[in-house]
Amino acid sequence: VYERLALVSPTVVSYQSELAICYTNIGSLHLESANLDEALFAYDRALEINERLALVNPAVIRFQQDIYNAACGISLASLVAANDATLTESERTERAERYAARVIEILNRLSEQDFFSTAEHLRFLKEDSDLDAVRDREDFKALLRKVLNGNQ
């Protein structure tokens, strides 16, 4: 229904936003079933919509929050991929790394938009367990240092 509404009325922000939320929820459902390809497709669609909305409506923080939520979903997909017994070891490693790198890319873009400049959003970056898959990575640690230095 939202896809049709968003297609027919592309300038109605609420239709676009609700469609993105649906895609994020669909991604989470696929992730719970370990359907990684379907989950990533849904998260990518949510990101595409939310990034467009955030660009056109920079004062609406919810779109950045929705981008962050999709990044969290992809981070969780990295954990699922790393433990997916249906994949070979090299496939598990490759997918987990690819997904984790994508999360860092998204978080860096959010940082450039000052998303982590609020105490609440900084706490997300520092403590959200959804980011555990990337927390030990050097590029995540560098991002956290950069954000912390910018908030002092």
Side-chain angles (χ1 to χ4, degrees):
V1 171
Y2 283 117
E3 282 184 334
R4 180 77 178 135
L5 289 171
L7 183 64
V8 172
S9 304
T11 59
V12 179
V13 173
S14 62
Y15 295 166
Q16 302 293 324
S17 177
E18 291 300 323
L19 177 59
I21 290 169
C22 287
Y23 275 120
T24 299
N25 291 338
I26 289 168
S28 297
L29 290 171
H30 281 301
L31 191 57
E32 287 176 15
S33 302
N35 296 322
L36 292 174
D37 292 334
E38 293 86 354
L40 270 288
F41 175 81
Y43 289 134
D44 283 341
R45 289 288 292 135
L47 282 166
E48 176 186 318
I49 294 165
N50 281 313
E51 286 175 342
R52 186 175 58 245
L53 290 172
L55 185 64
V56 175
N57 305 283
V60 181
I61 196 70
R62 182 175 136 211
F63 303 134
Q64 289 180 335
Q65 290 169 331
D66 290 343
I67 292 168
Y68 173 83
N69 289 336
C72 287
I74 297 169
S75 177
L76 293 170
S78 178
L79 287 176
V80 171
N83 296 299
D84 188 341
T86 67
L87 301 173
T88 66
E89 184 176 342
S90 65
E91 289 172 324
R92 285 192 299 269
T93 301
E94 185 276 327
R95 279 190 177 205
E97 170 57 29
R98 183 167 26 109
Y99 300 163
R102 180 86 193 282
V103 171
I104 299 301
E105 173 190 315
I106 295 164
L107 295 176
N108 272 307
R109 282 198 313 264
L110 286 170
S111 174
E112 291 166 5
Q113 298 166 3
D114 293 326
F115 179 72
F116 300 110
S117 63
T118 68
E120 178 185 19
H121 296 156
L122 179 58
R123 186 174 41 78
F124 291 165
L125 188 64
K126 290 166 59 176
E127 300 174 9
D128 191 339
S129 63
D130 287 349
L131 297 178
D132 285 352
V134 298
R135 201 165 301 287
D136 290 334
R137 292 173 56 100
E138 289 306 314
D139 47 3
F140 179 85
K141 292 175 184 177
L143 168 65
L144 184 58
R145 280 191 304 273
K146 180 177 85 171
V147 168
L148 289 172
N149 288 337
N151 287 335
Q152 292 179 349

